[in-house]
């Protein structure tokens, strides 16, 4: 009974910004790595950014310097600040989290996805 709910997608012009949020709820005992993935039509899903429980981050080369991932452990929430957006950033963005329940069972969970469109 874990849910990841994303928000913050939308339509933005090139050079603009969006801030995505993903909140985990339900049988959440410990959240390990959280991340953002994206998938454009006809393309494979790719990792955009991820962050460990300790705050270590990793980014795809295509977004380094433009995107920033962060998390609020008290709120079980991860964020993705996307700046200097390009048309090639257009995709459905999915939240992912490795979560352990009270029995220490670890599972990966996915959000429903939120659409980000960068177009003039």
């Amino acid at each position: 009974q874990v849910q990841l709910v994303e928000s913050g997608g939308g339509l933005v012009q090139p050079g603009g910004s969006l801030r995505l949020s993903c909140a985990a709820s339900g049988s959440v005992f410990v959240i390990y790595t959280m991340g953002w993935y994206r998938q454009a039509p006809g393309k494979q899903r790719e990792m955009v950014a991820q962050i460990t429980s300790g705050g270590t981050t990793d980014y795809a080369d295509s977004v380094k310097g433009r995107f920033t991932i962060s998390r609020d452990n008290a709120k079980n929430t991860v964020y993705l600040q996307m700046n200097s957006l390009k048309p090639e950033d257009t995709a459905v963005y999915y939240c992912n989290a490795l979560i352990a329940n009270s029995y220490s069972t670890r599972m990966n969970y996915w959000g429903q996805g939120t659409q980000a469109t960068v177009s003039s």
Side-chain angles (χ1 to χ4, degrees):
Q1 286 190 300
V2 172
Q3 285 189 326
L4 301 179
V5 180
E6 303 105 328
S7 62
L11 175 64
V12 66
Q13 294 185 349
S17 298
L18 288 171
R19 191 184 192 224
L20 308 183
S21 299
C22 172
S25 62
S27 300
V28 178
F29 190 73
V30 178
I31 302 180
Y32 297 98
T33 301
M34 303 185 79
W36 290 95
Y37 293 70
R38 67 186 181 187
Q39 187 168 24
K43 298 184 65 178
Q44 297 184 66
R45 187 174 299 186
E46 64 175 349
M47 192 275 287
V48 177
Q50 61 182 24
I51 184 169
T52 69
S53 58
T56 300
T57 59
D58 189 25
Y59 298 92
D61 288 341
S62 60
V63 307
K64 286 182 178 178
R66 300 188 297 119
F67 291 10
T68 302
I69 189 170
S70 62
R71 63 191 286 170
D72 185 335
N73 291 328
K75 296 181 178 180
N76 292 335
T77 300
V78 63
Y79 307 93
L80 185 66
Q81 179 68 45
M82 305 190 294
N83 298 326
S84 302
L85 285 163
K86 305 174 181 179
E88 50 263 46
D89 294 319
T90 297
V92 177
Y93 285 74
Y94 297 91
C95 177
N96 173 265
L98 178 62
I99 297 174
N101 61 19
S102 60
Y103 296 96
S104 298
T105 300
R106 300 183 183 188
M107 291 185 62
N108 272 307
Y109 294 90
W110 292 92
Q112 81 286 354
T114 184
Q115 176 72 45
T117 302
V118 185
S119 176
S120 60

